[in-house]
Amino acid sequence: MTDETTTIWYTRCPVPTASGIALDTGRLAASLSAAGLAVAPIQQAGLDEAHFDHRLPALFREGGNVPALWARSRGERTRLVGLTWVPELQAIVTRPGTGVTGLDDLRGRRLILPTHGGERVDFFRAMALRGFEAALRHAGLSLDDVRLVDAPAPLPGTRDVGADGFYRATVTALHAGLGDVAYVKGAPGADVIARDGLVCLHDLTDTDDPRLQVNNGTPRTLTVSEDLLARRPDVVARYIGALRQAARWAATHPHDTARIVAAETGSTLAGVARAYGGALHHRLEPELVPEWIDHLDDQKRFLLRHGVIPRDFEIGEWIDPGPLAASDAYLSPETTEVIS
């Protein structure tokens, strides 16, 4: 990137994010336009894979932590500048008639891991594996007590949303009898449970221990290209300020927030309500909470242990808290205080 760069690239997962709110309300474009900059999605550059590998200069990414950790582990020059924690449905499900009625029945059962193979990080497989491990631990069991079954799944695309975009392969495998139990999450997961008549055995959001909720979406990561941060820290701070402004707007607009999140995830409003609860609109502002950082480090160790990411690295060295602090300068006076 050069200092003459006028386009800032963005990508976000189809999940609840401040980025989605800032884009829908026009706050991100307006903030960057005031600095003579344009903001555009990676699809406009024809570089969809940057959503996963972050190989695009002047790029911001907000979304699941598995691809972000994977990219950093592979040596991509990114910095972590914010985190969010949105408690969401993480359901262990079965189809009717399996005889599985609770977590205690999982011993010896076949648990479905959607698997696409290939060189790109298999984050759906990693999510299911982490969800299963947490649920089994809650029941006093471990992965050694069950059978893990890889089920073929297509390579996810950046435009995949909704119940089918997320869980078609998983539900197909479940109904075909390839396995007895599956993992679904978020609003698409809530919709697929309702639509396909699945039985929810356990929702990890109902556990009091947040460590059992750690997964790809908890916490979510906000990352930025290291080159952009080095050359234009003001732009990075401005961008984060726009996200924080949007998140604070969301905190006073719960119905609009739910509508935007439904569109972002390709889900129903009922699915959004079931998956994220009544406090969703208060959960979207990027922060760097020490407890969340510890949970992200735990997630990194899990991914290393299971071979999802290739190399270890220090989470603390990845984080740059400067841009989040500097973003205070880009908040409007009426939203300088945290909205509660």
Side-chain angles (χ1 to χ4, degrees):
M1 178 204 154
T2 66
D3 288 339
E4 289 74 34
T5 295
T6 58
T7 300
I8 304 301
W9 301 101
Y10 71 82
T11 182
R12 85 282 194 195
C13 292
V15 296
T17 62
S19 298
I21 304 296
L23 289 163
D24 186 89
T25 61
R27 281 169 168 76
L28 186 57
S31 179
L32 292 180
S33 177
L37 300 165
V39 61
I42 57 171
Q43 291 83 3
Q44 188 171 308
L47 294 170
D48 290 31
E49 282 300 307
H51 179 77
F52 306 100
D53 61 29
H54 218 292
R55 290 185 180 179
L56 179 64
L59 173 64
F60 287 85
R61 179 189 185 279
E62 186 176 12
N65 62 54
V66 174
L69 290 163
W70 176 71
R72 180 67 177 189
S73 177
R74 282 162 38 104
E76 296 304 327
R77 292 171 53 82
T78 65
R79 298 303 294 269
L80 178 65
V81 293
L83 294 168
T84 59
W85 187 285
V86 179
E88 62 181 343
L89 171 79
Q90 294 192 63
I92 309 301
V93 300
T94 188
R95 66 184 182 280
T98 60
V100 181
T101 60
L103 297 183
D104 292 339
D105 297 327
L106 292 183
R107 188 185 300 274
R109 291 290 186 161
R110 298 167 300 158
L111 277 53
I112 294 172
L113 295 178
T115 305
H116 66 64
E119 295 184 2
R120 186 207 287 172
V121 62
D122 205 337
F123 65 93
F124 269 108
R125 187 179 190 278
M127 282 195 298
L129 188 63
R130 180 91 208 220
F132 289 147
E133 184 189 67
L136 289 164
R137 195 186 337 161
H138 183 70
L141 301 171
S142 75
L143 292 172
D144 292 334
D145 295 311
V146 298
R147 294 167 56 195
L148 299 174
V149 179
D150 287 337
L155 191 69
T158 58
R159 296 174 176 83
D160 291 343
V161 297
D164 285 333
F166 276 64
Y167 295 117
R168 181 190 298 246
T170 296
V171 173
T172 297
L174 187 61
H175 283 303
L178 296 180
D180 307 306
V181 176
Y183 166 90
V184 300
K185 79 170 189 74
D191 281 346
V192 83
I193 290 172
R195 187 193 70 186
D196 289 37
L198 302 181
V199 178
C200 180
L201 303 172
H202 183 68
D203 179 0
L204 290 164
T205 310
D206 294 335
T207 57
D208 294 330
D209 187 349
R211 292 173 298 180
L212 295 179
Q213 299 176 27
V214 173
N215 209 310
N216 184 43
T218 37
R220 290 194 177 95
T221 48
L222 175 62
T223 52
V224 64
S225 302
E226 192 171 295
D227 288 347
L228 176 62
L229 180 55
R231 291 177 179 271
R232 294 295 305 271
D234 60 312
V235 171
V236 176
R238 177 182 287 275
Y239 191 106
I240 297 172
L243 299 194
R244 293 177 65 194
Q245 192 93 358
R248 295 180 180 199
W249 174 89
T252 60
H253 294 79
H255 299 297
D256 289 324
T257 299
R259 173 186 55 79
I260 293 169
V261 170
E264 289 278 299
T265 59
S267 305
T268 65
L269 286 171
V272 169
R274 169 68 182 88
Y276 310 117
L280 168 64
H281 56 296
H282 289 297
R283 299 281 192 169
L284 297 173
E285 183 168 349
E287 302 178 70
L288 286 170
V289 177
E291 182 182 9
W292 299 351
I293 295 170
D294 289 343
H295 291 323
L296 184 65
D297 194 57
D298 178 72
Q299 170 76 335
K300 181 205 67 174
R301 293 194 301 272
F302 170 85
L303 298 175
L304 270 171
R305 188 164 68 249
H306 291 280
V308 179
I309 63 175
R311 288 182 293 276
D312 196 6
F313 63 93
E314 292 295 326
I315 292 289
E317 295 177 2
W318 187 28
I319 297 170
D320 189 336
L324 185 65
S327 70
D328 284 349
Y330 297 95
L331 296 176
S332 297
E334 66 271 17
T335 59
T336 299
E337 297 301 320
V338 175
I339 299 170
S340 60

